[in-house]
Amino acid sequence: MKRIAGLFTTLLLLMTLASCDSRKTAGENPFFTEWDTPHGVPPFDKILPEHFMPAFERGMSLHEAEIDAITSNKDEATFENTILAYDDAGQMLAQTELVFGMLCAAETNDRMQALQEQAMPLLAAHRDKIRLDDKLFVRVKEVYDRRAALGLDAEQMRLLQKTYDSFVRAGALLDAEQKARLKEINGQLSLTAVKFGNNILAENNNFVLELKSDELDGLPAGIRDAAREKAQQMGKGDKWVFTLHKPSLIPLLTYSTRRDLREKIYKAYLNRCNNGDEYDNKQLINDFIRLRTEKAHLLGYPSYAAYVVADEMAGTTDAVYGLLDQIWTPALERAKGELAEMDTLLQKDIPGATFESWDWWYYAEKLRKQNYALDEEMLRPYFSLENVQGGIFYLANRLYGITFQPIVVPLYHPDAVAYEVLDADGSHLGVLYFDYFPRDGKSQGAWCGNYVEQTYKDGKRVAPVVSVVCNFTRPVRNTPALLTLDETETLFHEFGHALHFLFHDVKYRGLSEVEGDFVELPSQVMENWAFEPEMLKHYAVHYRTGEVIPKYLVDKLRKSELFNQGFATTELIAASLSDMDIHSVTEYEPFDPMAFERQALNEKRGLIPQIEPRYRYPYFSHIFDGGYSAGYYFYTWAEVLDKDTFEAFRESGDLFNKKIAADFRAKLLSRGGSEDGMSLYRAFRGADPDKRAMLRSRGLWDEPEPEPEPDDEGEAPLQPEVRQE
C-alpha cells in the first residue's frame, strides 16, 4: 500500500524520536534551516514534537506570502509568474508535512496524537484558503484560457491543465457561500480522519490473548517462541501472548487446533471499533459519508464516488463496477468450491459442525497439505528477511543496474535501517529506509512514502528520501525473522513503490503524482517475480544450512499458485464493492454501517458468511483515514496493468530483460504524472492492457475454442471469457 505523498494522502504523525536519542534538546527548529545531513535526510536526531507547530505556522505564513506575491503581481498572468510560481510555492510547509505524516504512521504516542488533532484542521483550512482564493484562480484561469497561444511544451501544458483542474475540483467555481461551507466540511473531515485512525490504533493495541501451555496445540515452535517473547516483554513470563497484529493473528488462525481460541481472536479482529465504547467508529463513518456526500453535491457530482473516480483512469463508477462485477461471480463460485472441500475436513473433525469464518485459515492450511503436500512452515526457513531483502536488491540490480549500500544517517527509530541507492552509473539516486517490525505506536499493514520528494532545484535533481514500513514477524532469540509467503510478496510490493519514487525524474512538483488506479502498477508488477523459479534460486536460501530451496519445493509452490484464490479474490473484491457502495450514496440519511455492509455484500451479492470482506467499515483505514476513499478498487484495476506488463517480460523469453526494464523505467517509472496513466502505459506497451493475463493469474480465465475462419468482414476483437465454476 502506498498512498503517502502521492498516494496515501492522510497517514499522519510522529514519534518515538525522543526514545531514539534521549540526549536531544529543543535547540533551533530543524525545519527552519537547511539540513546538513548526509544526502539531505531529515535530522531525526534533532527533531522534537514541539518543533512541528512552529514549523507549520511559519510554513503556512511563508506559503501565504508566496501566494500573495503571485496575486498582487500587476503584470499579465503568464506560465512563469503564475503557474510555475504556484508550483514552487509552499516548499517548507510541504516538507514539514511529509515528515510529520510519514512518522505518524510509523511511531505515534498520546502527545503526538493530540498535536495531530490540533494541526490537521489548521492545515486543511490553509489549503482551502489558497485553493479557494478568487484572485489566484483568476490568474490561473487567465493563463489556462490562453493556453493554445502560449507555445508551451507538452510537460508545461500538462502542468497547466492539472493546476487548473485541481482548483476546479477544490471548489474554485463555487460562490462565496458554497466556498464557506466547503471549508467547514474539509476541516471537519480532517479531524474525523484523525479520530478514526487513532481509534483503530487503540483497538489494535488493547486486545491481548493470553494462553497457557496446554492451549498451544498445533502451533509451530517458532510461533510459540514469538508469543512467549511477547509475553515476557509485557511482564507475563508464564504465558504466551497473541495480539491482533497480523504476524501474531494469522499464525494462530492457521495452526491452532483450538477452535474456540480461533473464534475469540478473529471476532476481536472483526469487531475492532464496533463495540459501542469510546473507540467505536460507526458514528464517525456516518460523519464521513454525510460530509463527503455533501461535498460531492457542492462540486456538482451525484456521489462522492463519482467525484473521486472522475479524476482517475477509470473515469466513471460504471467502469469500476464493470470490472469488479466481472470478477465477483466467478471468484465467489470458486470460493464456494474451496469451502466445500474444507467443510469435508471439518466434518471429519467435528461431525455436524457449521463451517465459520474463523475456520478458513486452519482448514485451508490442512487442505494445502492434503492436496499439495505443502506446509508453509516448510517454506519459511528459506525466506529469512535478510534473504528476501537481498532478493529484491538482486532483482533491482538485474533489471535496472542499481545497487544499495548501507549508510549511517539519523534514524527515527532504532528498528529502522538506511541504504544509499546508486544508479547504474554510480550516481546518487536516493536514500531508502526500511522499518520492518510491529510496535505499539505503529499502524498496521505496510506502506511506502517519501520523507523528501524528488524535485529540481536550480536546475539540479534533488534526490528523494523514501521509506518502506512493514509489520513482519520479529526475530526470536537466535532465529532470524522468517517471512511467510504473504510477507515476502508484501516486501516485493512495497519495494516496487520505492523504485517508483526513486526513479522519479519530474521537472515540476505538480506532476509528481499519478492517478490512484495507476499507482499500484509499479508495486504490484514486482510481485510477479517473487516466486518465479529463476528468482527463487537467487534468494530463497535456508537460513541455517545455506541450501537453495530444492526443486521439489519450488514445484509444489508453483502447483499451488491458484490455491485458495477464490477466497483471496472474493475478500478483496468484497472490500472494493463495499467501498464503492458506501461512497455511491446520493442522499445521506443516518445508517448502521454494519447493516449497510450486510445488505451490500451478503443480501445483494450473495457473499457467503464464511468469508468476511478484507476490511469491515469500522477499521477500513484505507477508505476513511487513508487515501483510498472510493478507491480500494485501485488494486484490482492496476492488477490488469501489472499482469499485462509482466507478460512483456514473459513474451521476451527473459524475465530479467534489461531492455524492457529500461523501457519501463524511462516511459513509466520516471515520468510521474507528466502524462495521464493510460498514455504512459500505451507508450510502454504499445497497446491497451489485456485483461486476460490478470484473469488467468487468478484462475478465472479459460482459453476460448479456436475461432472459425473470419468472413469477409473480419472477426470481432477477442473478449475475455471469464471462468464460471
Side-chain angles (χ1 to χ4, degrees):
M1 179 178 77
K2 167 210 113 181
R3 193 87 170 157
I4 298 179
L7 188 264
F8 204 47
T9 45
T10 332
L11 272 173
L12 299 162
L13 220 246
L14 168 61
M15 151 136 152
T16 263
L17 294 185
S19 71
C20 293
D21 187 349
S22 60
R23 297 167 298 172
K24 287 193 296 184
T25 57
E28 183 176 13
N29 193 314
F31 293 103
F32 293 173
T33 60
E34 187 170 345
W35 298 337
D36 60 357
T37 51
H39 310 297
V41 305
F44 295 121
D45 54 334
K46 298 178 181 177
I47 295 173
L48 291 168
E50 52 263 38
H51 291 141
F52 281 107
M53 279 308 300
F56 283 140
E57 290 166 356
R58 181 180 291 192
M60 288 187 286
S61 178
L62 289 173
H63 196 191
E64 290 174 6
E66 291 164 334
I67 297 303
D68 183 65
I70 297 171
T71 58
S72 61
N73 191 333
K74 303 301 182 184
D75 295 337
E76 180 183 43
T78 66
F79 178 83
E80 286 75 18
N81 69 21
T82 301
I83 305 303
L84 189 56
Y86 174 76
D87 193 59
D88 287 338
Q91 294 192 37
M92 178 199 167
L93 179 61
Q95 180 60 81
T96 306
E97 285 189 271
L98 274 180
V99 176
F100 184 69
M102 281 290 293
L103 288 174
C104 150
E107 188 71 14
T108 191
N109 55 37
D110 292 344
R111 183 180 181 191
M112 299 314 297
Q113 288 174 348
L115 175 59
Q116 189 181 10
E117 292 194 21
Q118 179 186 2
M120 290 303 96
L122 294 176
L123 293 169
H126 171 74
R127 285 189 290 270
D128 282 339
K129 182 177 182 180
I130 290 174
R131 291 182 300 190
L132 299 177
D133 185 319
D134 290 333
K135 293 181 180 178
L136 179 60
F137 182 63
V138 164
R139 290 185 66 86
V140 170
K141 190 174 185 301
E142 285 176 2
V143 181
Y144 181 75
D145 289 344
R146 292 186 289 109
R147 61 192 181 280
L150 298 179
L152 303 178
D153 62 29
E155 209 166 0
Q156 291 171 326
M157 188 66 82
R158 173 74 171 166
L159 178 63
L160 174 56
Q161 184 70 57
K162 282 179 71 74
T163 302
Y164 177 80
D165 289 347
S166 71
F167 274 87
V168 172
R169 284 181 60 80
L173 298 178
L174 302 180
D175 62 32
E177 183 179 347
Q178 291 171 321
K179 286 180 179 178
R181 178 56 187 152
L182 184 59
K183 291 177 182 179
E184 292 176 354
I185 291 172
N186 288 339
Q188 292 172 33
L189 282 171
S190 68
L191 187 55
T192 304
V194 172
K195 292 177 179 177
F196 188 93
N198 288 345
N199 285 346
I200 296 175
L201 183 63
E203 288 280 78
N204 288 339
N205 292 331
N206 286 344
F207 178 85
V208 173
L209 179 62
E210 300 177 22
L211 302 186
K212 297 177 292 186
S213 59
D214 60 355
E215 297 175 306
L216 303 175
D217 288 353
L219 297 175
I223 304 304
R224 294 186 185 204
D225 290 345
R228 186 70 161 180
E229 188 168 283
K230 180 65 176 177
Q232 291 170 347
Q233 291 172 0
M234 298 178 66
K236 303 176 185 294
D238 59 337
K239 300 289 180 63
W240 286 257
V241 165
F242 288 84
T243 71
L244 298 182
H245 294 282
K246 287 293 182 70
S248 183
L249 168 76
I250 298 300
L252 187 69
L253 291 174
T254 303
Y255 297 109
S256 176
T257 61
R258 289 283 300 270
R259 196 178 188 218
D260 59 327
L261 298 179
R262 301 199 306 267
E263 177 182 3
K264 184 174 183 178
I265 198 168
Y266 194 50
K267 282 185 173 179
Y269 178 80
L270 290 177
N271 289 316
R272 287 175 297 163
C273 302
N274 182 34
N275 296 302
D277 56 15
E278 61 183 309
Y279 304 118
D280 194 295
N281 273 338
K282 293 193 292 293
Q283 181 54 52
L284 295 180
I285 293 168
N286 270 264
D287 294 340
F288 274 120
I289 301 308
R290 173 177 55 82
L291 294 166
R292 286 174 173 175
T293 303
E294 184 181 356
K295 177 175 180 174
H297 290 171
L298 280 173
L299 295 170
Y301 294 88
S303 68
Y304 193 73
Y307 165 71
V308 170
V309 176
D311 200 39
E312 307 294 356
M313 291 177 71
T316 67
T317 57
D318 285 347
V320 175
Y321 277 119
L323 176 63
L324 299 179
D325 290 342
Q326 183 179 14
I327 299 170
W328 174 255
T329 299
L332 182 58
E333 288 306 305
R334 185 183 182 93
K336 290 177 181 177
E338 295 166 355
L339 172 61
E341 285 191 273
M342 292 187 293
D343 188 55
T344 300
L345 299 179
L346 172 65
Q347 297 310 314
K348 290 180 181 178
D349 290 346
I350 315 174
T354 300
F355 198 102
E356 304 286 359
S357 57
W358 50 85
D359 292 320
W360 199 287
W361 282 265
Y362 181 74
Y363 284 99
E365 186 66 14
K366 272 196 166 188
L367 192 63
R368 177 158 53 184
K369 291 177 184 177
Q370 173 183 291
N371 291 355
Y372 302 100
L374 184 64
D375 177 350
E376 186 155 18
E377 287 301 302
M378 298 164 54
L379 297 172
R380 288 181 72 157
Y382 296 95
F383 294 92
S384 71
L385 176 56
E386 181 181 0
N387 287 347
V388 177
Q389 180 181 290
I392 61 175
F393 286 175
Y394 168 83
L395 178 59
N397 181 259
R398 280 289 299 271
L399 293 175
Y400 304 110
I402 64 176
T403 54
F404 302 80
Q405 295 183 352
I407 53 174
V408 177
V409 292
L411 304 175
Y412 63 90
H413 190 278
D415 281 352
V417 293
Y419 292 83
E420 181 185 10
V421 186
L422 301 175
D423 213 337
D425 62 1
S427 61
H428 177 72
L429 194 61
V431 170
L432 177 58
Y433 286 86
F434 289 104
D435 179 0
Y436 286 127
F437 306 118
R439 297 186 293 272
D440 287 346
K442 182 193 281 192
S443 299
Q444 284 212 14
W447 60 91
C448 176
N450 281 325
Y451 282 112
V452 177
E453 283 192 293
Q454 179 268 316
T455 56
Y456 269 83
K457 185 175 182 180
D458 300 327
K460 294 182 179 180
R461 179 180 183 268
V462 175
V465 176
V466 183
S467 182
V468 167
V469 186
C470 304
N471 281 277
F472 292 157
T473 307
R474 281 186 176 274
V476 179
R477 293 194 292 273
N478 295 326
T479 303
L482 302 178
L483 304 190
T484 65
L485 296 180
D486 182 66
E487 289 174 331
T488 298
E489 196 168 71
T490 294
L491 186 51
F492 274 79
H493 177 105
E494 299 305 336
F495 185 66
H497 282 310
L499 291 181
H500 195 193
F501 281 133
L502 290 164
F503 286 148
H504 264 196
D505 194 9
V506 181
K507 187 175 181 180
Y508 303 114
R509 293 168 65 215
L511 297 183
S512 63
E513 295 190 12
V514 301
E515 296 97 329
D517 42 15
F518 185 79
V519 79
E520 295 297 334
L521 163 59
S523 57
Q524 291 180 182
V525 74
M526 295 298 286
E527 297 175 27
N528 291 281
W529 275 275
F531 305 122
E532 285 288 334
E534 290 181 64
M535 185 68 198
L536 287 169
K537 67 183 182 182
H538 290 287
Y539 82 92
V541 178
H542 198 288
Y543 79 96
R544 280 203 188 107
T545 67
E547 172 198 25
V548 175
I549 189 169
K551 184 178 184 301
Y552 81 91
L553 279 181
V554 176
D555 290 343
K556 289 177 185 289
L557 184 58
R558 299 289 286 179
K559 288 177 183 177
S560 67
E561 278 183 336
L562 295 180
F563 175 72
N564 211 34
Q565 268 298 315
F567 170 82
T569 306
T570 298
E571 66 155 10
L572 170 68
I573 302 302
S576 302
L577 288 168
S578 67
D579 168 35
M580 287 300 296
D581 284 356
I582 202 169
H583 285 111
S584 293
V585 168
T586 55
E587 296 296 334
Y588 169 78
E589 293 181 0
F591 67 103
D592 176 0
M594 310 320 296
F596 187 99
E597 180 186 277
R598 284 194 301 273
Q599 195 281 326
L601 297 177
N602 302 94
E603 297 172 21
K604 178 181 177 182
R605 297 186 175 91
L607 177 65
I608 55 179
Q610 293 84 359
I611 298 179
E612 298 288 350
R614 184 169 293 183
Y615 299 100
R616 305 187 76 187
Y617 289 133
Y619 57 87
F620 204 162
S621 184
H622 288 75
I623 69 171
F624 291 122
D625 69 315
Y628 287 79
S629 49
Y632 197 69
Y633 80 90
F634 291 171
Y635 292 99
T636 305
W637 191 275
E639 190 176 352
V640 174
L641 306 178
D642 90 67
K643 292 297 184 289
D644 188 61
T645 294
F646 195 63
E647 281 297 295
F649 289 90
R650 285 197 189 282
E651 292 163 1
S652 77
D654 178 9
L655 295 184
F656 304 101
N657 190 304
K658 291 183 179 294
K659 184 178 183 303
I660 296 175
D663 217 29
F664 189 58
R665 173 179 175 176
K667 294 180 178 178
L668 195 147
L669 295 179
S670 68
R671 298 291 306 281
S674 55
E675 288 187 62
D676 68 90
M678 189 55 75
S679 295
L680 292 175
Y681 191 81
R682 290 192 191 109
F684 161 67
R685 196 70 166 101
D688 286 344
D690 188 333
K691 289 181 187 175
R692 288 176 295 182
M694 182 273 286
L695 295 171
R696 191 182 301 118
S697 73
R698 289 190 173 269
L700 305 177
W701 167 263
D702 277 331
E703 294 295 340
E705 294 295 324
E707 294 286 338
E709 291 296 320
D711 56 27
D712 292 340
E713 296 181 1
E715 55 182 297
L718 182 65
Q719 297 298 316
E721 180 178 326
V722 179
R723 172 182 292 167
Q724 303 285 340
E725 297 193 358

